[in-house]
């Protein structure tokens, strides 16, 4: 029973810890709260992977490191997703891929992935050692912002 309570409380504790450590005295750091629904917006990949690694740690999975090739692939896939509205196939050689659309910030996107019974296990796949992430804004698309994270 205590174990179940700890598992249920872990996401809330992680969110509180992240808020406490961020700038602004309790607000999310700018890198996590940066809206991606504007031209020229830049995702703070270091902070995004920091959140993912914090979550992975709570599940016993090891940290992943940023990988430039996976970042480039994620960027290409997110662009394709925004243009076609269809989730592209997982590239050969990757361990996991997750998609999202319509969330404006990484904090919202991560929350959606973490709370999804389908997406959450992919975030903590213990075989993953590296990751690439991208967010694309396309004002002409139905959802505006498209997200892709790849694990290798």
């Amino acid at each position: 029973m205590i174990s179940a309570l700890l598992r249920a409380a872990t996401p809330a504790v992680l969110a509180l810890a992240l808020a406490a450590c961020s700038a602004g005295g309790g607000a999310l750091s700018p890198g996590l709260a940066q809206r991606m629904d504007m031209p020229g917006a830049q995702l703070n990949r270091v902070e995004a992977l920091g959140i993912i690694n914090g979550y992975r740690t709570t599940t016993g999975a090891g940290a992943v490191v940023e990988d430039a090739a996976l970042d480039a692939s994620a960027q290409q896939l997110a662009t394709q997703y925004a243009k076609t509205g269809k989730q592209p196939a997982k590239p050969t050689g990757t361990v996991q891929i997750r998609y999202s659309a319509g969330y404006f910030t990484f904090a919202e996107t991560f929350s959606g992935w973490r709370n999804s019974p389908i997406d959450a296990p992919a975030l903590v796949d213990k075989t993953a050692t590296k990751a690439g992430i991208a967010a694309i804004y396309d004002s002409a698309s139905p959802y505006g912002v498209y997200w892709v994270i790849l694990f290798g």
Side-chain angles (χ1 to χ4, degrees):
M1 171 129 175
I2 291 174
S3 170
L5 288 173
L6 284 173
R7 275 191 300 248
T10 296
V13 171
L14 179 61
L16 288 172
L18 290 169
C21 293
S22 64
L28 284 175
S29 71
L32 300 175
Q34 168 71 40
R35 290 182 63 106
M36 295 289 116
D37 61 336
M38 56 191 72
Q42 294 292 314
L43 174 63
N44 185 323
R45 287 178 172 86
V46 171
E47 288 189 5
L49 286 179
I51 289 282
I52 290 166
N53 282 331
Y55 178 59
R56 288 175 62 84
T57 299
T58 67
T59 68
V64 292
V65 296
E66 183 177 2
D67 182 87
L70 288 176
D71 277 342
S73 186
Q75 189 81 15
Q76 185 177 41
L77 293 168
T79 300
Q80 181 182 346
Y81 185 20
K83 298 271 183 244
T84 66
K86 296 178 183 168
Q87 296 176 346
K90 180 178 87 165
T92 303
T94 57
V95 174
Q96 295 285 347
I97 186 170
R98 294 291 91 180
Y99 306 94
S100 190
Y103 290 115
F104 299 123
T105 69
F106 180 76
E108 294 170 334
T109 304
F110 172 74
S111 224
W113 284 332
R114 180 195 65 218
N115 292 319
S116 164
I118 295 170
D119 294 328
L123 295 177
V124 297
D125 186 318
K126 291 183 178 182
T127 63
T129 59
K130 54 190 178 177
I133 187 168
I136 296 295
Y137 172 62
D138 184 341
S139 63
S141 68
Y143 293 103
V145 181
Y146 295 78
W147 300 84
V148 172
I149 188 165
L150 290 171
F151 292 96

